[in-house]
Every structure is written in C-alpha cells, then in structure tokens.
Amino acid sequence: MAGLDLLSDQGYRVDGRRAGELRKIQARMGVFAQADGSAYIEQGNTKALAVVYGPHEIRGSRARALPDRALVNCQYSSATFSTGERKRRPHGDRKSCEMGLQLRQTFEAAILTQLHPRSQIDIYVQVLQADGGTYAACVNAATLAVLDAGIPMRDFVCACSAGFVDGTALADLSHVEEAAGGPQLALALLPASGQIALLEMDARLHEDHLERVLEAAARAARDVHTLLDHVVRQHVCEASLLLGD
Amino acid sequence: MLKSKTFLKKTRAGGVMKIVREHYLRDDIGCGATGCAACGRAHEGPALELQPQDPASSLCPRPHYLLPDTNVLLHQIVIAWRPGTWASVASSLRPPGSLETYVEQEQGENANDRNDRAIRVAAKWYNEHLKKMSAENQLEVIFITNDRKNKEKAIEEGIPAFTCEEYIKSLTANPELIDRLACLSEEGNEIESGKVIFSEHLPLSKLQQGIKSGTYLQGTFRASRENYLEATVWVHGDAEENKEIILQGLKNLNRAIHEDIVAVELFPKSQWVAPSSVVLHDEGQDEDDVEKEEERETILKTAVNEKMLKPTGRVVGIIKRNWRPYCGMLSKSDIKESRRHLFTPADKRIPRIRIETRQASALEGRRIIVAIDGWPRNSRYPNGHFVKNLGDAGDKETETEVLLLEHDVPHQPFSQAVLSFLPKMPWSITEKDMKYREDLRHLCVCSVDPPGCTDIDDALHCRELENGNLEVGVHIADVSHFIRPGNALDQESARRGTTVYLCEKRIDMVPELLSSNLCSLRCNVDRLAFSCIWEMSHNAEILKTRFTKSVINSKASLTYAEAQMRIDSATINDDTTTSLRGLNKLAKILKKQRIEKGALTLSSPEVRFHMDSETHDPIDLQTKELRETNSMVEEFMLLANISVAKKIHEEFSEHALLRKHPAPPPSNYEILVKAAKSKNLEIRTDTAKSLADSLDQAESPTFPYLNTLLRILATRCMMQAVYFCSGMDNDFHHYGLASPIYTHFTSPIRRYADVIVHRLLAVAIGADSTYPELTDKHKLADLCKNLNFRHKMAQYAQRASVAFHTQLFFKSKGIVSEEGYILFVRKNAIVVLIPKYGLEGTVFFEEKDKPKPWLVYDDEIPSLKIEDTVFHIFDKVKVRIMLDSSNLQHQKIRMSLVEPQIPGISTDISNMDINEPERKKKKLQK
C-alpha cells in the first residue's frame, strides 16, 4: 500500500477517526420471529446477522451430548457478496471453520452452559458485508442474539479488534487498515469482570507493544459494551411496551 | 467518546472491484489560533500566534495570517523556511474532513479544481471564524495563490487574495526576499528565445504505461563528472542485460539532473555508442551556442569496435526529481546591470543554473546556495533562485562548510534535547551498572591508537592461563550503555551514522562528553566496556569464545610507535609489554592464516598533514607509515568482529546487522589485468585467493613500486562493502577479508552500526533487554541504507578535505616538479599518481588555443601515442605541479608534463619564467 498513510501526522486515520475511536455501531435485536433469538449489527460497513436456537435436545448423534453442560454449536458463514470480490463458497471453507471454532470457544466461556446439561445451543452467524473486524462484529451480534434468546450468560461478550501502526495502537480496524498487513489483535472481553474470553493475534509484535495494543482493544470493547447495553435496554423497553398493550 | 457524525460513502471503481470506504467528518478540529475561545479544545502541535508579527506590507496593513495554496507552498518553501521573516505563515491547512469545510467533488469538476475550491472554502471559514473570535484584533487571512483563475474566484467570494509575487513585493521591510522568490512566473519564460531545444517530457501516466510494457526503462540518472554531455542511467530491477544505459548529447539527456529518477527509451542497436573517454567541461557563457554543442557532441562519437558499444538511449520523461539546494559560485554575467547570472555548482555533475538577483556584485567571489525551480524546454540551463550566502570562497571555514553541505554531512552542534540524555557529571560507576558486568579491572589492559587520538574505543589484553593456554581479550567501549534506544541522543547518532574525520576537524557522531571522555578507554580510569574474550592455544587456535559486559581499567594508552618500541626493546619487561608481545605473536599467526584463506592486502596512497598549530595550515605532509602494531590491533579487531558476527547471527538469524563485501564482477578487473600484462605479469582474478597470490608474486626487480601500484589499481576494482540485515539477504560473504560472515563491533564511538551490534550482542548474552525496533528487520534494513549512505558520504567528504588541504599546501609551496606514475590512460589525457604526496592528477594534452597534437589512443593495451611518444600505464613521468586558481570555484592542482619531453606539449623547466602561470590564467578565464 504505497503512499497511503494509515495514520496522518495530525493523528487521524484514513477514514477520519482518531486512534482509539470506534466506527459507528448500529444494532437491532429480534429481527427474526422463527428463531429463539436473533440480532443484526452494523459496525461501520461491516454487517453481520446472528441467529440462536436452543437450548434444545441434541440433534444427530446422541453421543455428542455432554453430561454436565450444554453443547455450544457455532456456524459461521459469510455471504458471497460480502467482499469486494465475489466469494465462491458461502461456508465450509477453512476460514469459516476456524471462525466457527473461535466463536464456540468464546461463547462456551460466556454462556452458563452447566444450567442445561445434555442439551445443545446453536449459534449461526452470517456476515453480509465485510469491512474489517468480522470476528468482532460476529461476537457482538451473537451476544445480542443469545440475550434475545434469553439464554443465561455470565456477562455480555464484547469484542473488538486492534492494530498497531507507527508506534500507535489503533482500535477497530477497517478493511483498509487490515489489508496493510500490520499486526492485528482480536479480543473478546467480559466487560464487568474484565476477563478475557478469547484473544488472538497472528502476526509478529514486540512484547513491549503488546500491553498497549491490548489496552486499546480492551477500552474499545468496553465502549462496545456501553452501546450494546443501550441497545438491549431499548429493546427490552420496546418489548415490554408491546406486552403491556 | 464516539464522534462519528455525518457519514458518507466514497466509491472508487477500479477494475471490477467496488470499494466502499467510510469517511467520518469531525467537528472537533480547532482553528489553531492560540486565543480562540470557540475552539479552545485540546490542540496539539504548533499554534498560530494571536498577534502575528508581520513584516510591514503595503498591500494589507492589518495583522494577518497567510494561507498559501499547495503550489505556492511547494515551490516557495525556501522563503517560508527562513525563520523570522514569515513568522506568521499559516501553513497548517485545515486537516481534511472537518465538518464545516468539507467539499464534495461536483459533477464535471476535476480533482484540482475541487482542491482549489476547498482551500477557498477554508479561507472563507477562517475569515468568518476569526471575526467572531475577536472584534478588536481584526485578524485577517490572506489567501496566496499563483493561479490566476483561482485568485479571481477568491476575490469574487470576498476573500482577500494576492499572488505570491505581489505579496512579497509589498513587504517593505525585506526587499531582498524577492531574490529568493522562485521564478516561476510565466512572463519570465516568454522573454527567452522562442527556440525549443529539448523535446517534451512525457506525462507520468504515459511513462508508467511504457515502463510496464517494456518500451521505456526506469532508472537513476547519473551525470558524468568528466563529461557534461554524457551520463549513465542505472536501470532499476534485476534484469542482467541493459543494466547501465549510456546517454550522450544535450538533447538525449533532456534536462535530467544528477540523481533524478528518469524513464529512458533505448535506441536501436545501430545507434549505440561507446562511453567516450574524452574529458569535457561546460565552459561556454553564451546561451545560444546550441550549434556549438552539436559540434562538440560529434567529438564524442568516434569509431570504435563493436564490442565496446553499450546500450544507448534518451530520456523521455522524469519520474521523480531529486533536486536539492546546491552549493556553488556565481559567474557574473558580462552584461552590466543584468540581473540574470549563471551559477556554477561545486558538483560538476550538476549543470549550471540561471538565477536572477540584484546583488550580483555582493555575491561575486562568495560561496552561495541556489535551488533549482525548473527547466523550461527552450532554455539551455535550468532556472533557479538564490537561497543563502555561505561566505568567501577559499576561506577555510567556508570551504569546510561547503564540503560538509555538499556531502550531506550533518554537522550542526548537538541540540539541547540530545544533550539532555547525557549522563550527569561527575559520573561514576554505580552498583546498578555492575549488575550484569564482570570486574576486569585487575587485568593488564592497554590501548594502542594513532597519536592524538582522543576517542579510544578499543583496548586489548593477553595473559597466560594456568592450563598453559593464552587468554586474549578485546575490550570495546560500552557506548550502548550510555545511548539508550529511542531517545533523542540515539536518534541523532543514528542519523549521523558515523564520525567524519576531516583534515583539521572531527565531526562527532556522539557528543564530546561521550566520545572523548566517558566512552573513551583512557588509561588509569575505570571505564565500562564490552569484552570479547578468547582462550587460545599458542598456535592461535580459538578454544573458547566468551562475551561479557565488563569494567576495565586501562594501564596504558600507547601510540603505535610506542607500542612498537616496547615490543622491540629488550630491556622493558613489565606486564603491559609482555602482554603486547603475546598479542603480537598471535596476531602474526592469525594474519598468516587469514592470508592463506585468501584475504586481500590492498593499498591506497594515504597521506597525513602536519598542521601549523596556530593557523591550521598544512606545513608538510607524509604518507602514513604502517608498523607491525597497526596490523596487530587490526588483526584482533577483525577476529572480534567475526566472532561477534557469528554469535549475533546464531541468535538472531532474521535481524542481525552484518557487513558484506560482494565479489566484484570479472569485468571490473579488466583494467588491472591489462595493465599487468603490459608489464609482462599475470594477474589471476578468478578467486580472491588467486588474486591475492598473483598480487604477491607481481614483483619487478627494477621497479619496486610496481607492486604497490598494482594494489592501488586492484583497490579501485573492488565493490563497496555494505551493511545489511541478515533477514533481507542471503549472501553474507566478505570478499576482501575472505570471511563467510562479518560485522562491525569494535568502534561504537564513531560508527552507529557498532552500537546496534552491541545491543544485539547484549541481548544475546542476556545482559540487556530487547526493544521493538531491534527486532524489526524492515526498520533495520532502512537503518542500514542510511548508514551505507552516510559512510559513503563521509568517505567522499574526507577525500574532498584532503584535496582541499593539498591545494593549500601547494599554494604555499609554489610550483614543484615531481616524479610520478601513470595510473590510467585516457583518450586525451593521462592520470598521474605522485606517491610522495599521495596525489593524483590529470595531465591534459589538448588545450584550447594550442595546436592539437597528434593523439592516437589504443584501448586494448591501453596506451596513448602523442606525436612520437607512447604512454603506457605505469610509465614513470615527471610532472610539474602547481595550483591553478584561475577558477575560484574549482581551485585545482594542475599538472603538466615535464618528462619525457614532447615538443610543444611538455613544459620546459629551464626557460620557465614567473609570468607564465599568469599568462595561463588569462587564457583559462576566457
């Protein structure tokens, strides 16, 4: 990416944000009536849809049932039209499988699975448009969907990505910033306790910098929490109004 | 926290990809004025003064800020830079994407127009904003643009706007600023004769297309020092063929200037030429002598055999200009009261520049700096403007300044920020310092250096161990203890890269307190060191290698001569001397081993000036003497460097800073082989070993100096040794030292590379912690690039300094005759080396106003036949040396032939009278 400064001298990023600022987040809960829980989220241009079924009986092989807790089954897919170049397969490729696994780890840590032994919870996430930070958007959408389904959780799971450019940690990377090839960190946080549900990074970063990048991601995740909390409260408000009628 | 306000999409279609990007417009960007209450929010960076101190301008009497448009800012930056004159330049254009000043591109509007409009909107916003802010101050923003349409539109919209020229002329306090104005005004160019000399440069888009399709080649333009009508272009990329393209003739050079990145079109093979060996300098004063040029160009083209032809081409366009301000002198125009003059840069590769100034008489005889503004198609020379006056030419201070500037050597005193990171005096070693250190104060360490050396960065010791083996230690000043990564001191040293040694001056890489005191391993004081300690057998086999940070206390600081004396004298038998003898013995074995492996011993004529202690004028000069002790110290330094290189590469295979010396391509040796052949000697160049051996055997009983001459020539065939990052390269070999791996560890006071190597080694042995930049191979590669550049420049500056002092020396000495040897034979000249002074000069055989002698040049041998005398390479000649000060800018040593005598060419000493040099002067001044 020659000639493109990810961070200007004045401290602005390509899209006009400052280093620690998030993109605009908009979310809605309960978008589908058939599912037990569903949510839709927009983080800038990244758009994701999450649907939750369960807890219900184990489908398929009974042998998979866990005696002491619920099985969390996650499936990730991204729409063929989600990226600039059209994708061939919407799901089932390596990246999707890995993402599904990560989501599963994240939510096994957050959902109180021991309340529903020998049952299954399905979380399906689909990315409609990808513009960086797909994992974070998926986690945030899924959190809302799980809440919508009324499945008990320890806390919200809020995720955000962070990168590192020219000695500064950037929160919530957009596609342009991701494509530049620097280190990128994905963090899923349980904001109340500050516990980390998932932390992933796949590029080299000096350990001196890790602290700062982590800090930036955590702060951004807390900001996400404030927003999601607001969305949930509003949704509950609306729902109770409807029930009251 | 979250401040995303309006949100819009930018769509950019390229190919089939559709990219959608967000753009957040902000509402929290302040105007930048210090006292502004409306936007008093946190504002970083320099603020605008509330009360701009303006030079009185007759056009706008009220206090004002200036808002230059981009073109003005780009071209007139030199004026803006000068502190004090334009204190109120509001060059901080509002950062893009502010809510109030955002301008969307309209249909049918191109990007430039949109930007112009954006600047106008910004100016308008500023004016309204400032009005709100302070009624009594009456601040105003003045829009400066050179674009006529833009200005008209601005005035229409009610923004006060002027062109740059109007504004500068209105400044009553600083009339001399007009000279500095880059002359870009269109009217100026129309006065020129309408005749178009050069073909048009193609636009960048066409060039890129051409380069992609292979019709054009991209490369760096390198003008020739010796011939202003010739240049080479080094083509970028890996293609083996057409690496170097020759350009000949003014039209083919097409206004490219040294170091520019250009696009070149290759000619068909039938038009290829050979590099001419003619020496030509641009001396004409007239502007219209284009025909003459053509005549000259024909001189270049001579019948040569097919083999010599090289790819030839012409410049079709410039990809990137690499102009910088140039040092040089004014050649005053012959026409009285003319304001246009030619400026001759000190660097011969830069063409002369036409400038406009009213102070020509004041600038005559001074060294000045000039910047190039442009080179129109109908002008023989580029246009430029005056920047700075350095001082009188010939003055020692000025000349030193010039050579430092020309070689881009950072030589300003260290800033306060840098000095603040120095340790506080009085300094002593604390407990904390000792944590990872070994106490080696009991060892009998001593240093051996040239006389007068104050930055001692290495010391040695040698002692016998109980098991009969020898312990040898090399102790290097622990500079990395004082220069911590990332601070201002570190950054400044990294920028300087190396200490530059001029004849009478040293330009330090680190502040004096470190270089000559705390880091200098002086005797009888405790100093921090980084030690490399070997256990060796008596046959100099390395049994064990160990690195440690340490504290040492040197017992003696010796000069090479003193150390030699101690080793030689039978009566002295103290610890230091025994240690030296042990070292000397081992060094001899090491050297033998190294030479057996094929290390080269090369030679270059080095001289040292004896300076007058008061005037600092050179009184005498002598060639550097080499003693056994020199090679003793060198041997152990090499060993330490190699050991360290192995260690850091082992530990950090991806980001070790190493030094390599590539083997030269066989063609480089051609001249050496030919020269040796002419003396019936054979030089084999297939490997370094065979080269070293054949150089050793190349002796002539009747001509003892021949061997040295051959070694000097061999040195010229070599490639430059360079620093590199091990992760970015896979060829580590050091050709000259015949070592598979090498680095620099032993001189951290004067080379920054060593500081990095110290840090790497410290991490490797666990004595220090790593930091991010150290393990980033791209950052390291960038650093290597800078270091290589600085080293090259330092070398050139040193040579230039020696040349200048040689001139001073001959100025005081008058005319002398000396014996010398022919080093190269050219088409119309011979290059002569005078061993006594280490001086190299050119003897020309073609002079203006003299009948041309009959010259026959044979490239194969190579030899030059003049009348009846034939000159071969290495022939002994006698030349007369004198200082030619006819050209103040390039005072040079002039050599003319005395022996062998050729009638009409060589100078006859017997009837040479005092007036003769005077006569010559006049001739040259024409």
Side-chain angles (χ1 to χ4, degrees), chain A residues 189-242:
Chain A
L189 193 74
L190 304 178
S193 58
Q195 281 175 312
I196 291 173
L198 187 110
L199 178 66
E200 202 214 7
M201 185 168 68
D202 42 14
R204 277 169 63 99
L205 180 73
H206 197 275
E207 60 170 321
D208 288 9
H209 295 320
L210 183 64
E211 192 90 356
R212 277 195 285 152
V213 180
L214 202 55
E215 179 56 35
R219 203 178 313 122
R222 289 210 174 81
D223 291 340
V224 171
H225 174 242
T226 329
L227 283 161
L228 293 190
D229 191 54
H230 183 72
V231 169
V232 173
R233 280 173 202 283
Q234 195 149 21
H235 177 73
V236 172
C237 240
E238 279 167 17
S240 56
L241 272 181
L242 284 176

Coordinates of all heavy atoms in Angstrom, one line a residue, chain A residues 189-242:
Chain A
L189 N -14.1 -9.8 25.3 CA -13.9 -9.4 26.8 C -15.3 -9.6 27.5 O -16.3 -9.3 26.9 CB -13.5 -8.0 26.8 CG -13.0 -7.4 28.1 CD1 -11.6 -8.0 28.4 CD2 -12.9 -5.9 28.1
L190 N -15.2 -10.0 28.7 CA -16.4 -10.0 29.6 C -16.2 -8.7 30.4 O -15.5 -8.7 31.4 CB -16.5 -11.2 30.5 CG -16.4 -12.6 29.8 CD1 -16.5 -13.7 30.8 CD2 -17.6 -12.7 28.8
P191 N -16.9 -7.6 30.0 CA -16.6 -6.3 30.5 C -16.7 -6.1 32.0 O -15.8 -5.5 32.6 CB -17.5 -5.4 29.8 CG -18.2 -6.1 28.7 CD -18.0 -7.6 29.1
A192 N -17.7 -6.7 32.6 CA -17.9 -6.5 34.0 C -16.7 -7.0 34.8 O -16.2 -6.3 35.7 CB -19.2 -7.2 34.5
S193 N -16.2 -8.2 34.5 CA -15.1 -8.8 35.3 C -13.8 -8.5 34.7 O -12.8 -8.6 35.3 CB -15.3 -10.3 35.4 OG -15.4 -10.8 34.1
G194 N -13.8 -8.0 33.4 CA -12.6 -7.8 32.8 C -11.9 -9.0 32.3 O -10.7 -9.0 31.9
Q195 N -12.6 -10.2 32.4 CA -12.0 -11.4 31.9 C -12.0 -11.5 30.4 O -12.8 -11.0 29.7 CB -12.8 -12.6 32.5 CG -12.5 -12.9 33.9 CD -13.4 -14.0 34.5 OE1 -14.6 -13.9 34.3 NE2 -12.8 -14.9 35.2
I196 N -10.9 -12.2 29.9 CA -10.8 -12.3 28.5 C -11.4 -13.7 28.0 O -10.9 -14.7 28.5 CB -9.3 -12.2 28.1 CG1 -8.9 -10.7 28.4 CG2 -9.1 -12.5 26.7 CD1 -7.4 -10.5 28.2
A197 N -12.3 -13.6 27.1 CA -12.9 -14.8 26.6 C -12.1 -15.4 25.5 O -11.9 -16.6 25.4 CB -14.3 -14.6 26.2
L198 N -11.5 -14.5 24.7 CA -10.7 -15.0 23.6 C -9.7 -13.9 23.2 O -10.1 -12.7 23.2 CB -11.5 -15.4 22.4 CG -10.7 -16.0 21.3 CD1 -11.1 -17.5 21.1 CD2 -10.9 -15.3 19.9
L199 N -8.5 -14.3 22.9 CA -7.5 -13.3 22.5 C -6.7 -14.0 21.4 O -6.2 -15.1 21.5 CB -6.6 -13.0 23.7 CG -5.5 -12.0 23.4 CD1 -6.0 -10.7 23.0 CD2 -4.5 -11.9 24.6
E200 N -6.7 -13.3 20.2 CA -6.0 -13.9 19.1 C -5.2 -12.9 18.4 O -5.6 -11.8 18.1 CB -7.0 -14.6 18.2 CG -6.3 -15.7 17.4 CD -6.9 -15.8 16.0 OE1 -7.8 -14.9 15.6 OE2 -6.5 -16.7 15.3
M201 N -4.0 -13.3 18.0 CA -3.2 -12.5 17.1 C -2.3 -13.3 16.3 O -1.7 -14.3 16.8 CB -2.3 -11.5 17.9 CG -1.6 -10.5 17.1 SD -0.9 -9.2 18.0 CE 0.4 -10.1 18.8
D202 N -2.1 -13.0 15.0 CA -1.3 -14.0 14.2 C -0.2 -13.3 13.5 O 0.4 -13.8 12.5 CB -2.2 -14.7 13.2 CG -3.3 -13.8 12.6 OD1 -3.1 -12.6 12.7 OD2 -4.2 -14.4 12.0
A203 N 0.2 -12.1 13.9 CA 1.4 -11.5 13.3 C 2.5 -11.3 14.4 O 2.1 -11.4 15.6 CB 1.1 -10.2 12.6
R204 N 3.7 -10.9 14.0 CA 4.7 -10.7 15.0 C 4.5 -9.3 15.6 O 4.3 -8.3 14.8 CB 6.1 -10.7 14.3 CG 6.6 -12.1 14.2 CD 7.8 -12.1 13.3 NE 8.9 -11.2 14.0 CZ 9.9 -11.8 14.6 NH1 10.0 -13.1 14.8 NH2 10.8 -11.0 15.2
L205 N 4.6 -9.2 16.9 CA 4.6 -7.9 17.5 C 5.5 -7.9 18.7 O 5.5 -8.9 19.5 CB 3.1 -7.6 18.0 CG 2.9 -6.3 18.7 CD1 2.9 -5.1 17.7 CD2 1.5 -6.3 19.4
H206 N 6.3 -6.9 18.9 CA 7.2 -6.9 20.0 C 6.5 -6.9 21.3 O 5.5 -6.2 21.5 CB 8.2 -5.7 19.9 CG 9.4 -5.9 20.8 ND1 9.4 -5.6 22.1 CD2 10.6 -6.4 20.5 CE1 10.6 -5.9 22.6 NE2 11.3 -6.4 21.6
E207 N 7.0 -7.6 22.3 CA 6.2 -7.8 23.6 C 6.0 -6.4 24.3 O 5.1 -6.2 25.0 CB 6.9 -8.8 24.5 CG 8.3 -8.4 24.9 CD 8.8 -9.3 26.0 OE1 8.0 -9.7 26.9 OE2 10.0 -9.7 25.9
D208 N 7.0 -5.5 24.1 CA 6.8 -4.2 24.7 C 5.5 -3.5 24.2 O 4.9 -2.7 25.0 CB 8.0 -3.2 24.3 CG 9.2 -3.7 25.0 OD1 9.2 -4.7 25.6 OD2 10.2 -2.9 24.9
H209 N 5.1 -3.8 23.0 CA 3.9 -3.1 22.5 C 2.6 -3.8 22.8 O 1.6 -3.2 22.8 CB 4.0 -3.0 20.9 CG 5.1 -2.2 20.4 ND1 5.5 -1.1 21.0 CD2 6.0 -2.4 19.4 CE1 6.6 -0.6 20.3 NE2 6.9 -1.4 19.4
L210 N 2.7 -5.1 23.2 CA 1.5 -5.9 23.3 C 0.6 -5.2 24.4 O -0.6 -5.1 24.1 CB 1.9 -7.3 23.8 CG 0.7 -8.2 23.9 CD1 0.0 -8.4 22.6 CD2 1.1 -9.5 24.5
E211 N 1.2 -4.8 25.5 CA 0.4 -4.2 26.5 C -0.5 -3.1 26.0 O -1.7 -3.0 26.3 CB 1.4 -3.6 27.6 CG 0.7 -3.2 28.9 CD 0.7 -4.4 29.8 OE1 1.1 -5.5 29.5 OE2 0.3 -4.2 30.9
R212 N 0.1 -2.2 25.2 CA -0.7 -1.1 24.7 C -1.8 -1.4 23.8 O -2.9 -0.9 23.8 CB 0.3 -0.1 24.0 CG 1.0 0.8 25.0 CD 1.6 2.0 24.3 NE 2.8 1.6 23.6 CZ 3.3 2.1 22.5 NH1 2.6 3.1 22.0 NH2 4.4 1.7 22.0
V213 N -1.5 -2.4 22.9 CA -2.5 -2.8 21.9 C -3.6 -3.5 22.6 O -4.8 -3.2 22.3 CB -1.8 -3.8 20.9 CG1 -2.9 -4.2 19.9 CG2 -0.7 -3.1 20.2
L214 N -3.3 -4.3 23.6 CA -4.3 -5.0 24.4 C -5.2 -4.0 25.1 O -6.4 -4.1 25.1 CB -3.6 -5.9 25.4 CG -4.3 -7.0 26.0 CD1 -4.9 -7.9 24.9 CD2 -3.4 -7.9 26.9
E215 N -4.5 -3.0 25.7 CA -5.2 -1.9 26.4 C -6.2 -1.2 25.4 O -7.4 -1.0 25.8 CB -4.2 -0.9 26.9 CG -4.7 0.2 27.7 CD -5.6 -0.2 28.9 OE1 -5.3 -1.2 29.5 OE2 -6.6 0.5 29.1
A216 N -5.7 -0.9 24.2 CA -6.6 -0.2 23.3 C -7.8 -1.1 22.9 O -8.9 -0.6 22.8 CB -5.8 0.1 22.0
A217 N -7.5 -2.4 22.7 CA -8.6 -3.3 22.3 C -9.6 -3.4 23.5 O -10.8 -3.4 23.3 CB -8.1 -4.6 22.0
A218 N -9.1 -3.5 24.7 CA -10.0 -3.6 25.9 C -10.9 -2.4 26.0 O -12.1 -2.5 26.3 CB -9.2 -3.9 27.1
R219 N -10.2 -1.2 25.9 CA -11.0 0.0 26.0 C -12.1 0.1 25.0 O -13.3 0.4 25.3 CB -10.1 1.2 25.9 CG -10.7 2.4 26.6 CD -9.8 3.7 26.6 NE -8.4 3.4 27.0 CZ -7.4 3.6 26.2 NH1 -7.6 4.1 25.0 NH2 -6.2 3.4 26.6
A220 N -11.7 -0.3 23.8 CA -12.7 -0.3 22.7 C -13.8 -1.3 23.0 O -15.0 -1.0 22.8 CB -12.1 -0.6 21.4
A221 N -13.5 -2.4 23.5 CA -14.5 -3.5 23.8 C -15.5 -2.9 24.9 O -16.7 -3.2 24.9 CB -13.8 -4.7 24.3
R222 N -14.9 -2.2 25.9 CA -15.8 -1.6 26.9 C -16.8 -0.6 26.3 O -17.9 -0.5 26.6 CB -15.0 -0.9 28.0 CG -14.2 -1.9 28.8 CD -14.0 -1.4 30.2 NE -13.4 -2.5 31.0 CZ -12.2 -2.8 31.0 NH1 -11.3 -2.1 30.3 NH2 -11.7 -3.9 31.6
D223 N -16.2 0.2 25.3 CA -17.1 1.2 24.6 C -18.2 0.4 23.9 O -19.4 0.8 23.9 CB -16.3 2.0 23.6 CG -15.3 2.9 24.3 OD1 -15.5 3.2 25.4 OD2 -14.4 3.3 23.6
V224 N -17.8 -0.7 23.3 CA -18.9 -1.5 22.6 C -19.9 -2.0 23.6 O -21.1 -1.9 23.3 CB -18.2 -2.8 21.9 CG1 -19.3 -3.7 21.4 CG2 -17.3 -2.3 20.8
H225 N -19.5 -2.3 24.8 CA -20.4 -2.8 25.8 C -21.4 -1.7 26.1 O -22.6 -2.0 26.2 CB -19.6 -3.2 27.1 CG -20.5 -3.5 28.2 ND1 -20.5 -2.8 29.4 CD2 -21.4 -4.5 28.3 CE1 -21.4 -3.3 30.2 NE2 -22.0 -4.4 29.6
T226 N -20.9 -0.5 26.3 CA -21.9 0.6 26.6 C -23.0 0.7 25.6 O -24.2 0.8 25.9 CB -21.1 1.9 26.6 OG1 -19.8 1.7 27.0 CG2 -21.8 3.0 27.5
L227 N -22.5 0.6 24.3 CA -23.5 0.7 23.2 C -24.5 -0.5 23.2 O -25.7 -0.3 23.0 CB -22.7 0.7 21.9 CG -22.1 2.1 21.6 CD1 -21.0 1.9 20.6 CD2 -23.2 3.0 21.1
L228 N -23.9 -1.7 23.4 CA -24.8 -2.9 23.3 C -25.8 -2.9 24.4 O -27.0 -3.2 24.3 CB -23.9 -4.2 23.4 CG -23.0 -4.4 22.2 CD1 -22.4 -5.8 22.3 CD2 -23.7 -4.3 20.8
D229 N -25.3 -2.4 25.6 CA -26.2 -2.4 26.8 C -27.3 -1.5 26.5 O -28.5 -1.8 26.8 CB -25.3 -1.8 27.9 CG -26.1 -1.9 29.2 OD1 -26.5 -3.1 29.6 OD2 -26.2 -0.9 29.9
H230 N -27.0 -0.3 25.8 CA -28.1 0.6 25.5 C -29.1 0.0 24.5 O -30.3 0.1 24.7 CB -27.4 1.8 24.8 CG -28.3 2.9 24.4 ND1 -28.9 3.7 25.4 CD2 -28.8 3.3 23.2 CE1 -29.7 4.6 24.7 NE2 -29.6 4.3 23.4
V231 N -28.6 -0.8 23.6 CA -29.4 -1.4 22.6 C -30.4 -2.4 23.3 O -31.6 -2.5 23.0 CB -28.6 -2.2 21.5 CG1 -29.5 -3.1 20.6 CG2 -27.9 -1.2 20.7
V232 N -29.8 -3.2 24.2 CA -30.6 -4.2 24.9 C -31.7 -3.6 25.7 O -32.9 -4.0 25.7 CB -29.7 -5.1 25.8 CG1 -30.5 -6.0 26.7 CG2 -28.7 -5.9 25.0
R233 N -31.3 -2.5 26.5 CA -32.3 -1.8 27.3 C -33.4 -1.3 26.5 O -34.6 -1.4 26.8 CB -31.6 -0.7 28.1 CG -30.9 -1.3 29.3 CD -30.1 -0.2 30.1 NE -29.1 -0.9 30.8 CZ -29.3 -1.5 32.0 NH1 -30.5 -1.6 32.5 NH2 -28.4 -2.1 32.6
Q234 N -33.1 -0.7 25.4 CA -34.1 -0.1 24.5 C -35.0 -1.2 24.0 O -36.2 -1.0 23.9 CB -33.4 0.6 23.3 CG -34.3 1.5 22.6 CD -33.6 2.7 22.0 OE1 -32.4 2.6 21.8 NE2 -34.3 3.7 21.7
H235 N -34.4 -2.3 23.6 CA -35.2 -3.4 23.0 C -36.1 -4.0 24.1 O -37.3 -4.2 23.8 CB -34.2 -4.6 22.6 CG -34.9 -5.8 22.1 ND1 -35.6 -5.8 20.9 CD2 -35.2 -7.0 22.7 CE1 -36.1 -7.0 20.7 NE2 -35.9 -7.7 21.8
V236 N -35.6 -4.1 25.3 CA -36.5 -4.6 26.4 C -37.6 -3.6 26.6 O -38.8 -4.0 26.8 CB -35.7 -4.8 27.7 CG1 -36.6 -5.2 28.9 CG2 -34.7 -5.9 27.4
C237 N -37.3 -2.4 26.6 CA -38.3 -1.3 26.8 C -39.4 -1.4 25.8 O -40.6 -1.5 26.1 CB -37.6 0.0 26.6 SG -37.7 1.1 28.0
E238 N -39.0 -1.6 24.5 CA -40.0 -1.7 23.4 C -40.8 -2.9 23.6 O -42.1 -2.9 23.4 CB -39.3 -1.7 22.1 CG -38.9 -0.3 21.6 CD -37.9 -0.4 20.4 OE1 -37.8 -1.5 19.8 OE2 -37.2 0.6 20.2
A239 N -40.1 -4.0 23.9 CA -40.8 -5.3 24.0 C -41.9 -5.2 25.2 O -43.0 -5.7 25.0 CB -39.8 -6.4 24.3
S240 N -41.5 -4.6 26.3 CA -42.4 -4.6 27.4 C -43.6 -3.7 27.1 O -44.7 -3.9 27.5 CB -41.7 -4.1 28.7 OG -41.1 -2.9 28.4
L241 N -43.3 -2.6 26.3 CA -44.4 -1.8 25.9 C -45.5 -2.6 25.1 O -46.7 -2.4 25.3 CB -43.9 -0.6 25.0 CG -43.5 0.7 25.8 CD1 -43.0 1.7 24.8 CD2 -44.6 1.2 26.6
L242 N -44.9 -3.4 24.2 CA -45.8 -4.2 23.3 C -46.6 -5.2 24.2 O -47.8 -5.4 24.0 CB -44.9 -5.0 22.3 CG -44.4 -4.2 21.1 CD1 -43.5 -5.0 20.2 CD2 -45.6 -3.6 20.3

